[in-house]
Amino acid sequence: MWPLGELFFRTPIPFVLGGYAETRTTPPEFGVAGMLRSSIMDLRDAGLLDVEDELLSKVLDLGGEHTTYNFCWRLVGPHLYRDGEVFYPMPMDVFKKEEGESGKQDQSQGGGQEGGKVTFMLGDYLIEQLTPIPSGRGFELRRLLGPAVLDGEEARGWLASASFMKRYLEGEREFRCVEGRDVVRERDVVEKRIFPRVKLDRERKTVEIRDGEGMYYSLEKLILREGWGFIAGVWLDECSDAADVFLKLDGYTVRFGGRSGMVRLEVRWAKSLLERGLNWDVSGEARLLLTSSAILGDGGYTSFLPSLNVEGGVWRQVWIGGWDYAAGRPKAMYAGVAPGSVYYLRDVSGGDVLERKFVHPDYRRVLGSSLIAKGWGV
């Protein structure tokens, strides 16, 4: 998805009079799924799709009283993308190493700048020192301690390249990286600008007043730096014959990212996404890394399948919702977890993870794309 200007992906955070509506850095998963379905419907209505109604119905899952996601494909991502490489949210159990005598950056090589060298490390060795937090589901989750314990800093705001992630998935514990290649700062990829808005009475040319309050507000929009775009995957696990439906979207320009947002779609067979080549044959200790948002189990951010044997984790709670186009109203808000959240498992059930059984059953087709990393703890 290549942006053609400013985009706006509003967060569910309310704003006060005179404040502004904040934007996410990456598109919401529900928004991507809705955009794909709307685009396919546009092609259908324009007579550009030669496909049987039965197959199209499986792809679109239309006709219900409410918007549902029982289509035959699964969404992966979305992620940021540049020069053929996917950039993932940094796993939350990775910290940027504090520079001291043992790990001092070479300032002559531009440490902390484009091309400079930075070091990251895993913090999972702290797991055994942590106090259990009861989840009420028959098992315990444990939060990692703060980054100060690691003599480092939180890596939130960093993005990890696919090459970095391959090392993470293989169980490496320390990562010496070149900034701009192996890792990038989110602020170097995305520029956010605030655009003022005033609700006007066009006929009288005055500010409209309601209940004694002015309607002044602002929008925060994002602009991707040159060469950057978004990438998402579509897994056709139950309708492989629908590939041509999605390939028809190649080169299509669609409205996405707010009323004035536009993106150009480029559709190819998946090669870049790590989720494509995931090895699900894992035994013993493993880490489940969420690469997209997830609403877990019955809708709580600590609600997991007991069969996954969750021992601990580090996560960030987010509110997840969306717009129900069929019903014409907002969806219910759930307490979910953000991309980059990590959970420590024993004896992983690959099938449960692959089928996203740990995700709320209504949203398994859209939320919860993930990767499995080897081992944890010492």
Side-chain angles (χ1 to χ4, degrees), residues 204-320:
R204 297 182 180 180
K205 295 182 172 39
T206 58
V207 176
E208 182 177 343
I209 304 296
R210 293 182 182 173
D211 297 328
E213 294 183 341
M215 301 302 293
Y216 174 79
Y217 69 101
S218 300
L219 295 178
E220 181 185 57
K221 294 188 176 183
L222 66 87
I223 302 169
L224 292 190
R225 308 288 186 186
E226 184 177 357
W228 286 90
F230 301 111
I231 186 171
V234 172
W235 272 204
L236 301 172
D237 45 357
E238 294 183 11
C239 52
S240 58
D241 50 347
D244 288 342
V245 175
F246 289 93
L247 289 170
K248 278 281 188 180
L249 296 175
D250 184 42
Y252 197 50
T253 299
V254 301
R255 178 177 293 177
F256 187 55
R259 292 183 179 179
S260 60
M262 302 289 288
V263 297
R264 178 176 57 83
L265 301 181
E266 181 180 327
V267 184
R268 299 287 185 271
W269 288 101
K271 294 182 179 179
S272 304
L273 291 163
L274 293 179
E275 291 92 339
R276 172 176 175 266
L278 188 59
N279 178 13
W280 300 101
D281 184 19
V282 181
S283 59
E285 298 174 344
R287 285 167 284 157
L288 172 66
L289 168 65
L290 295 177
T291 57
S292 70
S293 305
I295 299 170
L296 303 178
D298 60 7
Y301 65 91
T302 60
S303 174
F304 251 99
L305 281 178
S307 62
L308 283 181
N309 297 322
V310 178
E311 292 287 332
V314 53
W315 65 89
R316 180 166 57 86
Q317 180 183 342
V318 292
W319 290 102
I320 301 176

Side-chain angles (χ1 to χ4, degrees), residues 139-154:
F139 57 90
E140 295 172 338
L141 292 176
R142 301 174 181 181
R143 287 184 183 271
L144 286 176
L145 298 177
V149 180
L150 295 161
D151 294 326
E153 63 183 65
E154 189 177 11

Side-chain angles (χ1 to χ4, degrees), residues 314-373:
V314 53
W315 65 89
R316 180 166 57 86
Q317 180 183 342
V318 292
W319 290 102
I320 301 176
W323 184 261
D324 191 319
Y325 287 96
R329 61 172 182 259
K331 296 178 180 296
M333 297 291 292
Y334 286 94
V337 290
S341 296
V342 183
Y343 292 90
Y344 302 96
L345 314 178
R346 295 189 188 276
D347 300 322
V348 182
S349 170
D352 284 350
V353 175
L354 179 63
E355 297 174 19
R356 304 181 184 177
K357 290 184 178 180
F358 57 90
V359 177
H360 190 292
D362 291 346
Y363 307 118
R364 290 173 183 168
R365 294 289 175 180
V366 180
L367 304 177
S369 60
S370 54
L371 294 167
I372 293 290

